[in-house]
Amino acid sequence: MFKNIILSIFFLLFYINSALAYIDIVYPTSKKTTINAQSTFFVGNTTEGANLTINGAKVKLWNNNFFVKVVPLEYGKNKIKLQSKINGNTEEVIFEINRPKPPKFFKPREEKFYTKDKDEILYTKTIKENATVREKPRKSSKRVVDLPLNVIMYLEGKQGNYYKLEEEGETEYWIHETNIQEPVKLSVKTNAKLKNQKLYEDENYKYIKFYLSHPVLYTIKQNGNTIKLTLHGIETQNEDGTTSPNFEYTYSLAQPILGYEGFYEENMFILKITQTPKIKDENRPLEGIRIFVDAGHGGDEKGAVGPTRVKEKDINLAISNYLIDFLREEGATVVASRTIDKKVGLYDRVDIAKNNNSMISVSIHNNSLPNGKDPYIKHGTEVHYYNENAKLLAEIIQRDLSLNLNLKDGGIHKSSFALNRSTNPVSVLVEVAYMINPEEYMLLQKSEFQKKAALSIKNSIKKYIIIMTNEKNMI
Ligand SMILES: [Zn+2]
């Protein structure tokens, strides 16, 4: 019996010592592939303590078993050989990566602008929900507003697939042809009229309701404590007797403005503004503050996958769950997109935040990079926002997080993501660290680090709420 145990231990040690060489490559995902970039990276893991080479050059093994190696690519075929050796045992994997030659330079065809005849009236209306109006006639251009169905508009001309709206002033407004009814020539223009205006409020929001003869293009601009709504094409008499082509409404608060949004209910336009919360206990400013916490990805959406196949969705979830606990401890009312590993649709997440009257939305992610970039150079913390009203929160979270986690400050970025495109709630997306930077990847897997990240974000939200509820603070 005793002999057997000793024998088993002996065999076990022998087995460990002669562990087979293996190479598990997480990225690139295919051995024969095309990559249109000046470099790619090999991300994966191998037998602990093995000697790993890529095209003959030794590769550093982090934690003694995983690697992240940037490999430059030549034009044409690149043969890349990975070899892992341990105890005279060798495993070899060969990749064939094609980097396409650059296309011959060609000048993109400049689309011509066709303008309507001077006396012509070109009428149309939106035929889709979320019909996006942009500042320029292309998809990459800045969004002005997403309009609902049946918004009536008059057109000035067409360039490519976009129509230009007839508008005075410097800003241009363009809409894609698939969003609107085929334009019709009219002999008379029917301007919209403002019939009535009412203020209504409950404990969460102020609603300013504008009763119109028909829906028109609207734009909302925020500047610190002021919101300016423009209802386009509603002719207004000024006090000096002149007329303005648009109706303008300005709303100001003593404190900086949190979330706001505009929308139609049939012919009624509603400007909805989050009420500034009243802090009852100065030591607990988060008491009753409604916060949406989103753990990025989930279910079969893994997000980025690290060198030893730890998934971003799981790290996001761990940090989010700590954040939820920390916020609740301070009395905040928290709703989450998920507290377990499950799939949640992108727009379902936005809906959960809105349906629960959240004031703040924080989405937790961890970063990766496209081919051509170097995770040893580009890494650290980043915070993304889209609207001006989320910039301050993004700045506070970013500064605190990079400081508290002692990570490279990757800055704040204006990014049009589904989860931060809305002005209500105040929405930011946090990329805590990089899944493919070796040191950050190792940190991200530690629960102490995850907790520290969550605690830092909670404290930043607290700071933000104190600033936003203080009348003396002007942004
Ligand atoms: Zn992500």
Side-chain angles (χ1 to χ4, degrees), residues 27 48 111 122 161 168 197 203 214 227 255 265 279 309 325 399 435 440 448:
Y27 191 87
E48 200 170 333
E111 299 274 10
L122 265 187
N161 300 318
E168 298 193 21
Q197 182 183 325
E203 55 176 333
H214 64 246
I227 280 182
Q255 302 94 342
E265 271 176 18
I279 295 180
R309 297 199 178 271
D325 287 347
R399 193 191 48 218
M435 294 290 291
E440 292 178 10
E448 278 315 303

Side-chain angles (χ1 to χ4, degrees), residues 258-262 354 387-389 420-427:
L258 281 153
Y260 63 90
E261 65 184 313
K354 281 193 191 288
N387 298 297
E388 275 311 297
N389 72 335
N420 56 5
R421 212 149 46 215
S422 179
T423 45
N424 180 42
V426 175
S427 309

Side-chain angles (χ1 to χ4, degrees), residues 296-297 303-304 312 316 364-366 431:
H297 314 285
E312 183 203 334
N316 297 345
I364 305 292
H365 282 256
N366 282 284
E431 297 274 7

Side-chain angles (χ1 to χ4, degrees), residues 7 41 61 108 131 144 148 176 185 220 224 234 267-268 286 312 323 325 332 361 375:
L7 217 65
F41 21 71
L61 286 188
V144 177
H176 195 270
K185 285 178 193 169
I220 307 174
I234 296 185
N267 290 347
M268 176 170 65
L286 290 179
E312 183 203 334
L323 177 59
D325 287 347
S361 160

Side-chain angles (χ1 to χ4, degrees), residues 389-403:
N389 72 335
K391 193 177 178 189
L392 178 69
L393 179 61
E395 276 170 353
I396 298 173
I397 293 178
Q398 172 61 22
R399 193 191 48 218
D400 291 353
L401 201 56
S402 59
L403 218 70

